[in-house]
Amino acid sequence: MDPDYFKSYEMCWGTLGTVRPFSNFHPDRDATEIQAALEKKGSLPLLVEDNQRQYLKYEKTSYSVLSQDLAGGLKKALSGDLEVLLLELLMPPLQYEAQRLQQAMSGIGTDEETLMEILCTRSGKQLQEISATYKQLYKKDLEKEMKGETSGDFAKLVMALLNKENVAGGVQRDIESLSASLNGKKADAGPWIDILTSRDSDHLNKVLMGLELESGQMVGEAVEKKFSGDIRLGLKVLVQCIQSPDVYLAKRITTMKTPGVQGIMVSHSEEDLLCIRAAYIKLTGTSLYTALQKHFKGDHLQALLAICRSED
């Protein structure tokens, strides 16, 4: 075991993630085992047992032990969803989030919900780091890219989230502003964007609860009735993430669409996937571990189960 590894990386055994540092980590030995797995074109459990920071260690070791980089070996030996998943696991977290944003904006049409998922579940500091990584990877400015892919009130919401910061405000004043914005035939998105992107979560939860008491309806229902198009989707996601990001992410996973499931599980595997698992079983009555077995198969399933880690 390389003692410098423990000095240079923050070990996070205390997180609510399912993929954690592996105390018995031996790059040379593990790289040899991975090479054997690649030759058999089988699953690679070691890639999931160790966290992403340790994968970077594999990258350096693999040149001497495997005479090729690990990602290159995976691309040659594997294909399909399993290849994509394991390559995603190899990416440092910031790089992976930047890639997800880039993919959400590439091709025909924009994946607005993936944009909102990342913008709503990451802090302002994290988004700044993701923006810097995006520029480094793609030589483009993330804010400019998002402006080009969005329009209207939804574009204003996206920009406000990307540059979110906490600004002091009064709970009752914010309740009154949001309530007033709903009067009339067409709701005004301005106060919703200004308030929901510039207050801390405790403040916003008080505001949303107060608004529900005052209006007599759930905030999500009010947004559904009063807004339309992309801004309605954006505000619905934002409200859900303010009230409970774990529940929102669990709902996204229930679709069992491969890109969404992998995106959330990989993104949150080191941080809070245990919380999402708890929300999933409360929401559906079935554990995520069991649900995955009903929708996926083969080595791809085994890799997903290794990230999920265990039954609830």
Side-chain angles (χ1 to χ4, degrees):
M1 185 68 192
D2 184 355
D4 290 335
Y5 175 78
F6 288 101
K7 295 177 183 177
S8 60
Y9 291 92
E10 178 186 353
M11 307 304 284
C12 44
W13 286 105
T15 72
L16 291 170
T18 56
V19 177
R20 303 181 181 185
F22 186 52
S23 59
N24 193 30
F25 179 63
H26 297 278
D28 291 343
R29 183 197 65 193
D30 290 347
T32 301
E33 291 183 23
I34 289 171
Q35 172 66 8
L38 286 172
E39 290 174 353
K40 294 178 181 178
K41 299 186 184 297
S43 61
L44 304 171
L46 284 171
L47 291 184
V48 182
E49 290 173 0
D50 308 324
N51 76 5
Q52 276 105 317
R53 295 185 181 95
Q54 285 174 301
Y55 302 154
L56 302 181
K57 196 70 173 182
Y58 283 137
E59 285 288 286
K60 295 176 183 177
T61 305
S62 63
Y63 282 103
S64 59
V65 178
L66 306 180
S67 300
Q68 61 182 347
D69 70 283
L70 183 52
L74 286 172
K75 290 175 182 178
K76 290 180 180 178
L78 305 175
S79 61
D81 292 333
L82 177 62
E83 177 194 356
V84 172
L85 176 57
L86 294 183
L87 288 173
E88 288 174 346
L89 281 167
L90 279 173
M91 300 176 73
L94 290 175
Q95 185 176 328
Y96 182 56
E97 296 297 84
Q99 176 181 278
R100 291 187 72 207
L101 289 172
Q102 192 274 336
Q103 290 176 340
M105 294 185 288
S106 65
I108 300 174
T110 300
D111 182 352
E112 289 87 359
E113 186 151 8
T114 295
L115 290 183
M116 289 301 300
E117 174 210 312
I118 296 171
L119 292 173
C120 292
T121 57
R122 298 302 178 187
S123 68
K125 182 177 182 296
Q126 287 174 317
L127 290 172
Q128 289 176 8
E129 293 172 340
I130 292 169
S131 295
T133 302
Y134 189 97
K135 190 165 189 176
Q136 184 179 27
L137 285 175
Y138 302 108
K139 312 304 179 188
K140 295 179 181 179
D141 183 79
L142 179 58
E143 184 168 343
K144 289 181 180 179
E145 290 290 288
M146 286 185 169
K147 282 182 180 178
E149 293 292 329
T150 56
S151 61
D153 286 331
F154 183 68
K156 294 176 184 177
L157 176 60
V158 167
M159 291 302 104
L161 285 167
L162 185 62
N163 299 290
K164 68 177 75 169
E165 57 181 350
N166 287 340
V167 178
V171 171
Q172 188 56 40
R173 185 168 65 250
D174 285 348
I175 293 172
E176 292 170 359
S177 294
L178 294 181
S179 180
S181 74
L182 295 174
N183 295 330
K185 191 173 182 180
K186 185 177 180 180
D188 180 7
W192 290 78
I193 295 170
D194 293 341
I195 293 169
L196 299 191
T197 63
S198 64
R199 308 285 193 265
D200 65 53
S201 59
D202 288 340
H203 178 101
L204 289 175
N205 272 301
K206 292 175 183 177
V207 169
L208 295 181
M209 285 190 287
L211 184 61
E212 289 179 345
L213 289 172
E214 185 173 299
S215 65
Q217 65 179 333
M218 303 299 287
V219 177
E221 294 174 356
V223 170
E224 184 73 33
K225 291 177 182 178
K226 290 291 187 175
F227 295 96
S228 61
D230 291 343
I231 188 62
R232 176 167 63 187
L233 169 65
L235 289 177
K236 283 175 63 177
V237 172
L238 179 53
V239 166
Q240 290 179 66
C241 287
I242 290 167
Q243 294 175 327
S244 178
D246 300 328
V247 171
Y248 166 70
L249 292 168
K251 285 180 180 177
R252 283 213 77 189
I253 290 178
T254 61
T255 65
M256 286 297 161
K257 293 179 180 178
T258 299
V261 172
Q262 289 188 185
I264 292 170
M265 290 185 67
V266 173
S267 288
H268 295 268
S269 61
E270 290 188 52
E271 298 178 13
D272 56 3
L273 189 53
L274 289 176
C275 298
I276 299 169
R277 272 174 35 183
Y280 189 95
I281 195 169
K282 187 174 182 180
L283 185 68
T284 67
T286 303
S287 75
L288 178 57
Y289 198 86
T290 294
L292 291 171
Q293 295 175 67
K294 295 177 181 178
H295 292 87
F296 300 96
K297 60 184 180 180
D299 287 335
H300 183 223
L301 168 63
Q302 295 309 311
L304 288 171
L305 292 179
I307 297 170
C308 186
R309 188 59 66 187
S310 64
E311 195 60 91
D312 287 309

